Amino acid sequence: MKKLIAFDLDGTLAESKQRIGEPMATLLANLLEVAHVAVISGGDWPQFETQVVTALPNQARRDRLFIMPTTGTKLYRFENSAWVQVYADVFPSDQRDHILQALDAAVREAGFADEKIWGERVEDRGSQITFSGLGQQAPLDAKKAWDPDFAKRKAMQVLLRKALPDLSVNIGGSTSLDITRKDIDKAYAMRRLSDASGITTADMLFLGDAIYPGGNDDAVRAAGMDTIAVRDVEDTMTAVRAIIACLR
């Protein structure tokens, strides 16, 4: 019997950077009655707060919820009626500056410097620096159309891995690349989650929409942990209903 159910965020619980819908929020509240829940994604805390935390019904068991921004390099818990940061593995300033310089050079070399963007392309999330091809505020339709075959981001990834050999550069979301310390992925996040919760990874289940070779959720499956691959938000809701029924 699984004790903790973990989820990717964008494409799994909600559309990219969108607030989870009321039906999903209700399902998560119901799931929290029978299990612990974690949400793991590349976004930072404000994104989780907007998309998930403030969308949950008042009665939801927030004390059973683990919020893991920046691919698990940060952890937030609900303690004493407030959300608190448990840990954050942030880049030192000199390393951060080196990453930003490498990103600027890669954007120019890949030929993306003159593309139309919406908002900032680079976001410093402390423990992760994220490149968004069309900017942080790009409309959903434009994001879906920009790099559906991953070719643009794979080209950037090659350049950045050459420039930043001691760091991890992974494709995330629909237009983004996430730069973290070496070997940071969602399998790492699940292991950190096990340490923080006292629940073994064998007692966890992970759901994501990118559990396929090269997908940013696939590291969990590749590490031998139990996963459910979902196609979209509706597919996740179907799976969650079944999980709740089994756990009850």
Side-chain angles (χ1 to χ4, degrees):
M1 193 73 73
K2 298 301 181 182
K3 297 178 181 178
L4 188 150
I5 314 300
F7 298 90
D8 168 54
L9 179 50
D10 286 347
T12 300
L13 292 178
E15 295 292 346
S16 179
K17 294 195 175 179
Q18 303 300 303
R19 183 180 173 92
I20 62 172
E22 186 175 340
M24 180 66 82
T26 299
L27 276 176
L28 289 178
N30 292 340
L31 182 59
L32 284 162
E33 293 295 325
V34 295
H36 290 81
V37 172
V39 185
I40 306 167
S41 188
D44 208 349
W45 166 253
Q47 185 175 331
F48 282 83
E49 187 175 28
T50 299
Q51 288 187 253
V52 180
V53 171
T54 59
L56 291 173
N58 290 335
Q59 73 275 14
R61 289 287 306 272
R62 289 167 173 78
D63 60 307
R64 291 184 172 184
L65 180 60
F66 296 81
I67 296 294
M68 303 189 76
T70 55
T71 319
T73 56
K74 295 180 182 178
L75 173 63
Y76 287 79
R77 297 295 313 278
F78 192 72
E79 299 175 0
N80 299 319
S81 301
W83 287 95
V84 297
Q85 186 181 82
V86 178
Y87 66 76
D89 301 328
V90 301
F91 287 119
S93 60
D94 58 340
Q95 191 171 35
R96 170 189 174 277
D97 292 343
H98 179 53
I99 293 168
L100 295 177
Q101 291 167 8
L103 269 169
D104 184 60
V107 167
R108 286 185 276 103
E109 188 170 348
F112 300 152
D114 295 327
E115 289 196 350
K116 179 180 179 179
I117 60 172
W118 290 262
E120 296 294 329
R121 256 184 167 164
V122 177
E123 184 181 0
D124 180 2
R125 299 172 177 171
S127 56
Q128 175 178 297
I129 293 177
T130 294
F131 167 82
S132 297
L134 295 180
Q136 294 291 326
Q137 307 304 321
L140 188 59
D141 288 347
K143 291 171 71 172
K144 287 183 175 180
W146 185 68
D147 190 28
D149 61 356
F150 305 96
K152 292 181 178 179
R153 283 172 292 166
K154 284 180 178 177
M156 279 278 291
Q157 188 179 43
V158 169
L159 294 171
L160 288 168
R161 283 180 170 172
K162 183 177 180 180
L164 304 169
D166 296 328
L167 299 174
S168 287
V169 182
N170 293 312
I171 292 173
S174 54
T175 66
S176 60
L177 286 166
D178 297 327
I179 301 171
T180 62
R181 288 186 173 83
K182 203 72 173 174
D183 300 323
I184 301 295
D185 54 28
K186 288 179 182 173
Y188 159 90
M190 293 287 279
R191 290 189 289 269
R192 288 295 302 261
L193 180 57
S194 179
D195 293 340
S197 66
I199 299 171
T200 67
T201 56
D203 288 325
M204 297 179 182
L205 176 65
F206 177 83
L207 285 75
D209 70 316
I211 300 176
Y212 49 76
N216 68 341
D217 297 326
D218 198 52
V220 183
R221 179 204 57 79
M225 303 176 202
D226 291 333
T227 61
I228 295 177
V230 295
R231 293 183 297 272
D232 51 31
V233 174
E234 289 298 322
D235 207 19
T236 301
M237 292 177 66
T238 299
V240 172
R241 291 187 189 101
I243 291 167
I244 291 170
C246 290
L247 293 178
R248 280 180 174 164

